[in-house]
Each structure stands twice: as structure tokens, then as C-alpha cells.
Amino acid sequence: MIRIKRIYEEPSEDDGLRVLVDRLWPRGISKERALIDRWEKDLAPTTELRRWFGHDPAKWEEFLQRYRAELEGREELLTRLQHEANDGTVTLLYAAKDEEHNNAVALKRYIEEG
């Protein structure tokens, strides 16, 4: 099972494997408080794509297409996450304020559709 959660929310035992999927470390949170198991920077959108998107809901559909294109060639990391999700809960952590239009939502969708 794959879940998504803002990294600023309290960690929970229900989170299972906690994987940060942002390229930049979240502001104002220590590594100790974050309690992540892994940081997958290479599954995050490129800096260019992130800046272009700017969490603008009007750009969401095009962001999904561009992000999917960036994920091509990262099959090893994606397969690893898929296997981990098949074995238990994986929580993709993100820092964005927008809970509907962020890379963790897009990544979860991509993995589940793949």
C-alpha cells in the first residue's frame, strides 16, 4: 500500500516505510524529527520542472505529463518502491502545502498505474 503525507505531520506507526520524495530538504524540520527511512531525491521532479509548476493547479495536467517523462529511466527505484509497497505500507513524504497537487500525489499515481 502506498500512502502520502506531509512531512510536517507527526510520524505514525501506520506510516510503515517513510520515504521523502522531494529534491530539497523541507524547511524547519530536523532530520531527527522527520524520522525518514530513505530520501529518494532522484524520484523528485527536476528543479526546472518544480519551478515551472510552482504548485499552480492550472498546470497540474501538464506537470503530470512532464513528470512522467522525467521518471522514464528510473525503473530500478520505482520497482523497489513498488515491491516495498507490495510487502507493506510505504508513505511518500512531501513538504508542499497543496495536498492535492504535488509530486508525491503524482508519483503515487504513476506507481499504481504502472
Side-chain angles (χ1 to χ4, degrees), residues 23 42-50 63-74 78 110:
R23 189 162 298 277
D42 291 334
L43 288 178
T46 60
T47 300
E48 295 78 21
L49 180 56
R50 182 179 51 81
F63 170 78
L64 289 174
Q65 292 175 1
R66 290 183 184 194
Y67 185 36
R68 285 174 182 268
E70 287 187 354
L71 289 171
E72 296 293 321
R74 298 184 184 154
L78 293 164
Y110 183 87

Side-chain angles (χ1 to χ4, degrees), residues 2-4 21 57 59-65 67-68 71 78 81-82 92 99-114:
I2 298 176
R3 294 181 179 177
I4 58 171
V21 292
K59 295 180 178 178
W60 177 243
E61 291 303 319
E62 187 171 348
F63 170 78
L64 289 174
Q65 292 175 1
Y67 185 36
R68 285 174 182 268
L71 289 171
L78 293 164
L81 269 182
Q82 182 63 59
L92 303 178
E99 297 182 11
E100 296 177 31
H101 305 99
N102 64 66
N103 61 297
V105 170
L107 181 58
K108 178 180 188 282
R109 186 187 297 183
Y110 183 87
I111 292 169
E112 289 178 342
E113 291 173 358

